[in-house]
Amino acid sequence: MASLKEDPILGIDDIIIKEEFEIGKPVIDKLREDRPALETEGTVIKGESVIDKVREEGSGGQGERDMVPPTSNSIHRSGSRPQLDLSKAAIEGNFEERDPTILLPNQSDDISHLALDIGGSLIKLVYFSRHQDRPTNDKRKKTVKERLGISNGNRRSYPILGGRLHFVKFETSKINECLDFISSKQLHRGGVDSHSWHSDTSSNGNAVIKATGGGAYKYANLFKERLGVSLDKEDEMDCLVAGANFLLKAIRHEAFTHMEGRKEFVQIDQNDLFPYLLVNIGSGVSMIKVDGDGKFERVSGTNVGGGTYWGLGRLLTKCKSFDELLELSQKGDNSTIDMLVGDIYGSMDYNKIGLSASTIASSFGKAISEKKELTGYRPEDISLSLLRMISYNIGQISYLNALRFGLKRIFFGGFFIRGHAYTMDAISFAVHFWSKGEAQAMFLRHEGYLGALGAFMSYEKHGLDDLMVHQLVERFPMGAPYTGGKIHGPPLGDLNEKASAISWMEKFVQKGTEITAPVPMASSGTTGLGGFEVPSSKGGTLRADASALNVGVLHLEPTLEVFPQLADPKMYEPNTIDLANHSELEYWFTVLSDHLPDLVDKAVASEGGTDDSKRRGDAFARAFSAHLARLMEEPAAYGKLGLANLLELREECLREFQFVDAYRSIKQRENEASLAVLPDLLVELDSMTEETRLLTLIEGVLAANIFDWGSRACVELYHKGTIIEIYRMSRNKMQRPWRVDDFDAFKERMLGSGDKKPCPHKRALLFVDNSGADVILGMLPLARELLRHGTEVVLVANSLPALNDVTAMELPDIVAEAAKHCDILRRAAEAGGLLVDAMINTSDVSKDNSSSVPLMVVENGCGSPCIDLRQVSSELAAAAKDADLIVLEGMGRALHTNFNARFKCEALKLAMVKNQRLAEKLIKGNIYDCVCRYEPAS
């Protein structure tokens, strides 16, 4: 049973509760007794104070006795914020239950989790779900925030809470399936779990859902009858433009070109977005000149669109669905029906006007002279001819309108396209042909959801127009692609509630086997406009839901920001390895596949090796393999693909199958072993001269970085010796010069030369990598040395586990243990808030502790072995503003990503290369070569 405290509540400060608000005294008493927590704008208001506080606020702070009760039965609402409607509230079930369900039958303000675009052919849904189980701030984080000057003062009065945007589609003819889907997820109730509501609860007459498209009018009564909700109709053009503008501004790899089977992503400069032509191809076609947010004009259109293709195709081929018709086109040869230039000129080109023999002179033109009945033509050829006729004409008309207004950029959207390679190629060719290459057709990955997304944004409270690219992260869970079918919506929340995760995965794998990716053009054949080649059918079937598979779930993370020390954020590309090259892609896929069995073993062991964990481990392996197979077919399916994206996809897939920390036990063992020898290492370091110690510290970081369970070569080493033996072996091999060796330049910056002593760094950010020896014997001693020089140190670690990487949650305990053996670390940790429960009484701390430079820990905002510095936590962004030194350590953060990144401040990149191919590609070296790259401020 869900309780009130589990329901998402965005704000409460405008609520006015009248005296007779029809919630009985027993319910109020029960509310006070249970003391549920309502999270609102970062403040937790407990049980009894909820009732008192809302009454006080509602009466201007004078108390409930001075309230003027409203004359109506409903509670006063603000038009701009979500409200808590307690009218007719009642506890369901037994009052003695620990967390009884509190039914709020008139709660309607929080139903904006759903918006619809109901077209003539398809219904598109965009719905929102809150992030669950958000950790609360602890004392350490509060101390760090205070020291870094982080406050909520600059946040909006009704902040966006983190969550996910899901995209779903249904055929309009199957609207009852859509209604069942909405009802099953209780989306019309604000996304609450269905078991929180009695099935026989009377409909809420106040519930309103935003909708656009003609069906918002046509089916309004049906929604009222089935779900008890009203459809608030939004203008279709307003929604299309709002949705397109949002996607083009917020999604990094949203727009792409598609020519001759090749997809290339285009990064749009937000300052140079307008004006553009938006061509929305639904049942019909609308062409809209967009000049800015809310500034647009419908300049043209055509009634020949997706409905035309489907309607004529159904009449001519007897196909029962749009996707079936598209699938037929893959096997077609339009030269059997279309009259080509070569048919008129005896297989010759018409060179004078630049037309090749393969150019279509007249769509369906051959049917005039051939004495055939409809049954004499192959449905496949009819489908392809029809598809090209409509696509070419849309492309041509679009370009002519762009020419009319001097627009160079044309974006095509709408579910006619469906991610279909041939459709996009035809449109692109037409635009390129008629513009002589001056104009460019671009497509949108969320092509069919523009209207639904625009309707969703019309809820004022979401404020999605304020979100920027760094606040949106797209994920591709297994549950998302096949929405509208037997597998619905977001990833499974609790596998234990399902009969069998394997049976669910078998459905997915079977579906993925049956449906193949769009295939490339054949190498021969010359039918089609301007030399288009006859498509071959590699897999025999079209991926019917290609557009859905290219759309993941958008995770909204309002706390993510751009790393402020990037020298040029617009030019920054985190990935060092680009997987556009097929051989490169194939190599890394093989590496990940080979590593998969070991990863599954570790994941299952982390859960105690139970039958359930084995079942989930098998499901994870099959799911991740299915992702790899999908990307081998179409590398750009999920957006621009780099090695970092692959590694992040693996971690996301692990988390989807509830493997929160696959290397938990291994990390604990390695931490204990490393902490045991740390005191001896510190004594050894303190006996050295400053210059010798600095070299030894850098050698130690490089040597300790060998402990990486993400490296196949390192895993083999683990079977040959203990952690200490491997560390010593690695240290003994630290022979200079290293493959990339800027140590002398770094030493001069740290220690100076001759009598000239440099100013110490003000603040250093140390991006740490692996648990165990890597962080404890490598990075902590380096941090200690910087502290000794008077530099504030911020240890930057993952927000979520990834392989054996240390996390920000784990680091404070590691530092606390290390501080037991080192006064420098202890004083710095106390100053930085890492030892809030100090091991010694504060009265015993020497007075100079207050002046000690702090050692702090912040999370980086990600859960991957790599890091994209366009998307970091607000804590890290705040810490970075005053930083003058960045240390990036480890392959993931310093080699796989950010090796070529340039910063406004000094940067030191340290890593041991643990992959032969990476060594050859990046530094022209060998496995176990070392990188010490020092870069002055840009």
Side-chain angles (χ1 to χ4, degrees):
M1 298 288 284
S3 66
L4 178 62
K5 64 185 176 185
E6 294 172 329
D7 293 339
I9 299 189
L10 297 180
I12 198 171
D13 57 325
D14 286 340
I15 300 175
I16 298 177
I17 299 183
K18 64 173 186 169
E19 193 72 32
E20 60 278 41
F21 59 3
E22 298 184 66
I23 177 168
K25 186 176 185 299
V27 177
I28 296 178
D29 292 340
K30 188 62 182 174
L31 280 169
R32 286 172 170 157
E33 180 183 327
D34 287 344
R35 303 179 67 83
L38 299 180
E39 292 183 10
T40 165
E41 301 180 18
T43 304
V44 177
I45 306 171
K46 296 289 185 180
E48 182 175 359
S49 62
V50 173
I51 305 297
D52 297 335
K53 181 173 178 62
V54 295
R55 282 176 171 160
E56 289 172 6
E57 291 187 350
S59 58
Q62 298 300 311
E64 79 176 272
R65 65 179 181 275
D66 295 329
M67 287 179 60
V68 179
T71 56
S72 66
N73 289 329
S74 62
I75 296 172
H76 169 73
R77 303 176 183 278
S78 161
S80 62
R81 302 191 192 183
Q83 306 302 323
L84 179 64
D85 192 338
L86 295 178
S87 59
K88 297 187 183 297
I91 288 181
E92 284 189 60
N94 189 344
F95 271 69
E96 302 305 317
E97 291 180 10
R98 180 179 177 183
D99 294 309
T101 298
I102 298 176
L103 181 64
L104 303 178
N106 289 340
Q107 176 62 28
S108 61
D109 263 358
D110 204 27
I111 63 160
S112 57
H113 289 67
L114 168 68
L116 302 161
D117 179 3
I118 310 175
S121 307
L122 292 168
I123 303 172
K124 286 77 68 177
L125 284 75
V126 172
Y127 73 91
F128 185 69
S129 64
R130 295 284 177 214
H131 281 312
Q132 300 296 322
D133 303 322
R134 290 308 224 185
T136 56
N137 287 345
D138 57 26
K139 292 180 181 178
R140 294 184 181 116
K141 292 186 74 173
K142 288 180 180 177
T143 304
V144 169
K145 285 187 175 184
E146 289 172 3
R147 183 169 286 278
L148 296 178
I150 301 174
S151 69
N152 293 331
N154 60 346
R155 296 185 67 185
R156 59 200 303 135
S157 58
Y158 48 107
I160 304 166
L161 301 183
R164 304 171 181 88
L165 272 177
H166 306 270
F167 301 87
V168 189
K169 65 180 173 67
F170 293 87
E171 291 183 17
T172 306
S173 61
K174 299 177 181 177
I175 190 169
N176 285 323
E177 289 186 9
C178 174
L179 293 170
D180 290 341
F181 177 77
I182 294 171
S183 179
S184 68
K185 287 189 171 293
Q186 289 291 299
L187 299 179
H188 59 309
R189 299 286 194 184
V192 241
D193 292 336
S194 56
H195 59 259
S196 301
W197 302 84
H198 279 315
S199 59
D200 58 352
T201 301
S202 59
S203 297
N204 180 5
N206 295 329
V208 178
I209 294 175
K210 294 285 189 180
T212 190
Y217 297 87
K218 183 176 181 179
Y219 297 107
N221 290 336
L222 183 60
F223 273 81
K224 189 72 173 177
E225 293 169 6
R226 287 284 309 275
L227 301 177
V229 298
S230 300
L231 297 184
D232 187 6
K233 304 159 187 72
E234 294 292 325
D235 180 76
E236 191 168 357
M237 296 299 163
D238 284 339
C239 291
L240 285 172
V241 173
N245 285 347
F246 170 72
L247 290 169
L248 290 169
K249 288 180 179 180
I251 311 300
R252 185 171 292 114
H253 297 130
E254 176 65 27
F256 61 92
T257 60
H258 204 287
M259 284 286 286
E260 298 181 356
R262 182 177 177 81
K263 177 188 287 185
E264 291 188 4
F265 288 94
V266 179
Q267 184 56 42
I268 306 298
D269 184 350
Q270 294 188 31
N271 299 319
D272 190 34
L273 173 60
F274 307 111
Y276 67 84
L277 186 69
L278 175 62
V279 182
N280 189 64
I281 314 173
S283 299
V285 183
S286 288
M287 299 178 187
I288 308 163
K289 178 176 176 284
V290 183
D291 294 303
D293 291 320
K295 300 177 183 178
F296 64 89
E297 176 188 3
R298 186 181 188 275
V299 294
S300 187
T302 171
N303 58 352
V304 179
T308 312
Y309 177 59
W310 191 351
L312 284 176
R314 187 173 184 179
L315 290 174
L316 297 173
T317 68
K318 306 302 181 185
C319 282
K320 296 179 180 179
S321 72
F322 191 99
D323 293 326
E324 184 183 351
L325 189 62
L326 275 181
E327 186 176 335
L328 275 180
S329 71
Q330 278 197 272
K331 306 169 186 176
D333 179 357
N334 65 305
S335 66
T336 64
I337 297 178
D338 292 340
M339 183 181 294
L340 309 181
V341 168
D343 295 326
I344 300 172
Y345 285 87
S347 301
M348 294 177 61
D349 297 336
Y350 190 176
N351 292 322
K352 186 174 181 179
I353 58 175
L355 295 179
S356 68
S358 60
T359 301
I360 298 174
S362 175
S363 293
F364 289 87
K366 281 186 180 174
I368 299 172
S369 56
E370 294 179 343
K371 296 180 180 179
K372 290 183 183 179
E373 297 297 324
L374 180 59
T375 54
Y377 295 97
R378 294 196 320 146
E380 293 89 340
D381 300 340
I382 294 173
S383 175
L384 182 60
S385 179
L386 187 60
L387 176 65
R388 290 187 168 174
M389 178 185 76
I390 293 171
S391 298
Y392 293 154
N393 276 275
I394 291 173
Q396 182 180 8
I397 296 171
S398 299
Y399 166 67
L400 292 176
N401 276 281
L403 179 65
R404 174 185 167 198
F405 293 101
L407 306 175
K408 298 290 186 183
R409 195 179 284 137
I410 310 172
F411 294 104
F412 292 86
F415 257 119
F416 167 71
I417 299 171
R418 301 276 179 106
H420 192 235
Y422 309 133
T423 305
M424 292 186 287
D425 272 349
I427 292 172
S428 296
F429 186 87
V431 170
H432 186 270
F433 179 85
W434 291 106
S435 70
K436 294 182 171 60
E438 293 185 4
Q440 199 173 34
M442 285 181 280
F443 304 91
L444 303 174
R445 290 182 48 240
H446 294 76
E447 57 191 14
Y449 295 99
L450 303 185
L453 187 53
F456 183 83
M457 291 174 61
S458 67
Y459 293 105
E460 280 188 317
K461 65 186 126 182
H462 288 299
L464 290 182
D465 53 322
D466 292 343
L467 288 173
M468 301 302 288
V469 59
H470 51 268
Q471 295 174 324
L472 285 158
V473 184
E474 192 169 11
R475 309 292 188 206
F476 296 90
M478 290 288 96
Y482 296 108
T483 50
K486 292 183 179 180
I487 301 174
H488 287 303
L492 299 178
D494 185 357
L495 294 179
N496 295 322
E497 294 179 1
K498 306 295 178 182
S500 170
I502 296 301
S503 64
W504 172 76
M505 271 313 302
E506 283 172 349
K507 290 179 183 177
F508 170 77
V509 174
Q510 181 181 5
K511 185 89 172 176
T513 303
E514 293 172 353
I515 302 174
T516 61
V519 295
M521 298 294 182
S523 58
S524 61
T526 55
T527 61
L529 177 61
F532 260 30
E533 297 166 343
V534 178
S536 65
S537 182
K538 181 179 178 183
T541 55
L542 168 75
R543 185 183 293 279
D545 51 359
S547 59
L549 279 168
N550 292 351
V551 174
V553 176
L554 294 183
H555 286 228
L556 307 186
E557 301 283 359
T559 62
L560 294 184
E561 300 182 25
V562 177
F563 189 65
Q565 290 292 350
L566 286 175
D568 188 351
K570 289 183 180 179
M571 298 300 294
Y572 170 76
E573 168 55 50
N575 282 291
T576 307
I577 303 297
D578 186 357
L579 300 184
N581 181 282
H582 187 77
S583 63
E584 196 71 30
L585 182 69
E586 193 170 21
Y587 170 79
W588 288 105
F589 276 19
T590 302
V591 169
L592 291 176
S593 297
D594 290 346
H595 184 248
L596 193 55
D598 183 75
L599 178 57
V600 171
D601 289 343
K602 298 295 185 296
V604 171
S606 73
E607 299 287 328
T610 63
D611 289 341
D612 174 68
S613 64
K614 292 176 182 176
R615 184 164 54 92
R616 287 185 283 119
D618 184 41
F620 155 71
R622 297 168 70 183
F624 185 57
S625 297
H627 274 302
L628 294 181
R630 169 78 172 107
L631 289 168
M632 278 299 293
E633 286 286 343
E634 189 183 358
Y638 299 164
K640 188 175 181 180
L641 185 64
L643 181 55
N645 307 110
L646 268 185
L647 297 176
E648 186 173 23
L649 178 62
R650 178 182 61 188
E651 300 305 321
E652 283 294 319
C653 208
L654 271 171
R655 282 188 279 274
E656 183 180 1
F657 289 95
Q658 299 179 5
F659 291 108
V660 179
D661 191 352
Y663 286 78
R664 183 191 300 114
S665 57
I666 290 175
K667 290 193 293 182
Q668 290 173 349
R669 289 198 304 270
E670 292 189 352
N671 286 340
E672 291 170 2
S674 300
L675 284 166
V677 299
L678 177 63
D680 292 337
L681 174 61
L682 296 182
V683 170
E684 179 185 340
L685 289 168
D686 288 343
S687 67
M688 301 175 180
T689 64
E690 194 174 39
E691 184 173 329
T692 303
R693 184 168 63 243
L694 185 61
L695 175 59
T696 304
L697 285 166
I698 298 301
E699 288 177 342
V701 171
L702 294 171
N705 189 234
I706 198 172
F707 296 96
D708 187 348
W709 282 90
S711 164
R712 194 72 184 173
C714 294
V715 171
E716 293 174 1
L717 282 178
Y718 292 141
H719 299 301
K720 299 177 181 178
T722 66
I723 185 172
I724 302 303
E725 289 171 341
I726 297 170
Y727 176 69
R728 285 173 179 162
M729 176 198 73
S730 184
R731 281 290 297 270
N732 292 336
K733 289 186 176 181
M734 292 290 104
Q735 300 296 323
R736 294 186 64 198
W738 301 312
R739 177 59 62 174
V740 177
D741 193 340
D742 295 333
F743 172 76
D744 291 335
F746 179 66
K747 181 185 72 173
E748 184 174 348
R749 170 61 185 89
M750 286 287 295
L751 306 180
S753 57
D755 296 332
K756 187 177 180 181
K757 293 294 182 183
C759 293
H761 295 96
K762 180 180 179 182
R763 177 181 293 165
L765 303 182
L766 274 58
F767 287 76
V768 297
D769 189 8
N770 305 304
S771 294
D774 197 357
V775 65
I776 295 169
L777 304 181
M779 290 298 277
L780 262 186
L782 178 61
R784 178 175 177 264
E785 186 69 14
L786 289 165
L787 291 167
R788 195 198 296 258
H789 281 251
T791 301
E792 291 184 357
V793 174
V794 181
L795 300 176
V796 184
N798 270 12
S799 298
L800 297 172
L803 293 173
N804 64 318
D805 290 358
V806 68
T807 68
M809 288 289 288
E810 297 162 344
L811 263 181
D813 291 335
I814 292 173
V815 172
E817 285 298 312
K820 292 178 180 178
H821 311 288
C822 175
D823 285 343
I824 296 174
L825 290 176
R826 178 180 57 79
R827 289 195 297 269
E830 287 173 353
L834 295 181
L835 299 181
V836 290
D837 299 317
M839 294 167 289
I840 56 176
N841 191 291
T842 53
S843 61
D844 297 331
V845 179
S846 59
K847 293 181 180 180
D848 65 335
N849 280 352
S850 59
S851 61
S852 295
V853 289
L855 173 64
M856 295 172 279
V857 170
V858 300
E859 58 181 306
N860 58 19
C862 78
S864 166
C866 304
I867 185 168
D868 182 343
L869 292 173
R870 293 169 298 200
Q871 296 174 314
V872 302
S873 70
S874 55
E875 286 181 7
L876 175 53
K881 288 176 183 176
D882 293 327
D884 49 5
L885 174 64
I886 295 170
V887 180
L888 289 162
E889 182 240 355
M891 283 218 308
R893 293 158 187 80
L895 298 183
H896 289 153
T897 52
N898 301 306
F899 185 68
N900 299 317
R902 294 292 177 264
F903 300 97
K904 296 176 184 176
C905 64
E906 298 171 46
L908 181 66
K909 300 170 184 177
L910 302 169
M912 176 181 284
V913 186
K914 288 154 286 190
N915 176 276
Q916 182 61 43
R917 190 180 185 98
L918 185 68
E920 294 169 356
K921 288 273 183 181
L922 214 57
I923 59 174
K924 295 181 173 57
N926 297 300
I927 193 169
Y928 303 130
D929 276 345
C930 293
V931 171
C932 175
R933 187 172 186 174
Y934 172 69
E935 298 163 350
S938 296

